[in-house]
Amino acid sequence: MKKIIIAVDGPSSSGKSTIAKTIAKRMGYRYVDTGAMYRAVALYALRNRLSNEELLAELDKIVISFALQPDGSQHTLLNGEDVEQQIRTLEVGNMASQVSPIKEVRAYLVAQQQAMGKEKGIVMDGRDIGTVVFPQAELKLFITASLEVRTRRRYDELIGKGQNPVYDEVAKDLADRDYRDTHRAESPLRQAEDAIRYDNSDKTIDEQMEDYLRLINERIG
Ligand code: DC
């Protein structure tokens, strides 16, 4: 069967990674979480207390890879070390949003992401996959949900992790992140012209999957 590239973009907590992972599993495709790559670079900068300039000088020392787990999930490796837990903190998330606007950081990671797509059969999620990484992707999804729904999802996720979030702070954090993601000079979050916009505010995963699989089958022919 013909293999394609599926680009999944959208704002924070739109549910895009859940969707991208589910699609990859159903299709037997490789899944790549590009946000994890920016987070791994951020963790490296934090651990070594690097300024932006120092980070650029050390970029080629940062090797990011993914290790498939027995349960089918993937863990992010930084220079061979499993950092899956460490990259998911708020601190690293904030640092990632500081290092991700840097042109050289993006060029370094985008080249690796493009190499991963050479064989196709890949689902990649991020902010610039349909616009910059794979402008030629056969299917581009732009996943959104209302700020209210995204806040609720993020809030529940933090509770699930045993944290003690304040709803209004979570909402503000998401709104700030949206602003930064969409207003930065380098590869801002925006919908590619040929992307399909999908608002999943009122949809279950199963309902969404039905729609996505139909679109995929159309592309595969
Ligand atoms: O999706 P996430 O929260 O794991 O992303 C972490 C940060 O990296 C966030 O600030 C957005 C940024 N990012 C990006 O600029 N480009 C991507 N392709 C993926 C993430």
Side-chain angles (χ1 to χ4, degrees):
M1 199 191 284
K2 179 182 158 191
K3 287 192 167 179
I4 63 171
I5 293 178
I6 303 175
V8 183
D9 291 300
S12 295
S13 297
S14 56
K16 62 182 185 307
S17 58
T18 305
I19 287 152
K21 276 181 213 160
T22 311
I23 293 175
K25 204 168 172 189
R26 278 291 280 273
M27 302 300 297
Y29 280 15
R30 177 168 187 200
Y31 163 67
V32 178
D33 171 1
T34 62
M37 299 174 77
Y38 289 93
R39 285 170 180 270
V41 170
L43 180 66
Y44 184 91
L46 278 174
R47 279 180 171 177
N48 297 289
R49 301 173 197 279
L50 302 178
S51 66
N52 284 356
E53 207 168 295
E54 290 165 335
L55 173 63
L56 295 190
E58 294 204 13
L59 265 187
D60 60 358
K61 291 190 191 156
I62 305 177
V63 178
I64 300 164
S65 53
F66 295 98
L68 195 62
Q69 303 302 298
D71 68 357
S73 67
Q74 284 188 56
H75 282 190
T76 309
L77 307 187
L78 170 58
N79 292 333
E81 177 195 347
D82 187 330
V83 292
E84 188 57 36
Q85 296 290 323
Q86 288 95 312
I87 61 168
R88 301 297 166 189
T89 65
L90 207 60
E91 188 191 14
V92 173
N94 285 333
M95 188 64 178
S97 91
Q98 286 178 48
V99 300
S100 60
I102 304 172
K103 196 169 144 193
E104 291 85 350
V105 170
R106 302 204 71 83
Y108 183 66
L109 295 182
V110 166
Q112 296 177 29
Q113 291 155 8
Q114 288 171 334
M116 293 175 196
K118 278 233 168 73
E119 313 281 312
K120 300 208 173 186
I122 194 165
V123 187
M124 191 173 280
D125 82 36
R127 305 292 190 289
D128 60 339
I129 313 306
T131 51
V132 176
V133 181
F134 296 127
Q136 80 286 17
E138 286 85 354
L139 177 62
K140 300 179 184 178
L141 298 171
F142 191 87
I143 311 292
T144 64
S146 68
L147 183 61
E148 200 184 328
V149 168
R150 290 188 292 125
T151 301
R152 169 57 61 183
R153 286 178 186 158
R154 179 89 186 117
Y155 179 84
D156 290 345
E157 186 188 329
L158 291 169
I159 299 255
K161 283 183 182 165
Q163 298 180 24
N164 197 13
V166 176
Y167 185 89
D168 289 347
E169 282 174 12
V170 176
K172 182 173 182 313
D173 185 62
L174 272 182
D176 288 350
R177 222 171 259 219
D178 285 355
Y179 187 87
R180 284 201 299 271
D181 283 351
T182 51
H183 286 78
R184 66 179 182 218
E186 287 302 323
S187 310
L189 170 67
R190 69 176 175 81
Q191 184 183 339
E193 265 172 33
D194 52 351
I196 291 164
R197 191 181 188 87
Y198 193 102
D199 186 320
N200 65 14
S201 298
D202 309 311
K203 305 236 185 215
T204 64
I205 300 284
D206 285 348
E207 286 166 343
Q208 293 180 62
M209 280 305 291
E210 225 176 89
D211 292 333
Y212 301 141
L213 289 174
R214 200 179 53 245
L215 290 166
I216 292 166
N217 285 329
E218 279 170 21
R219 299 306 190 280
I220 291 176

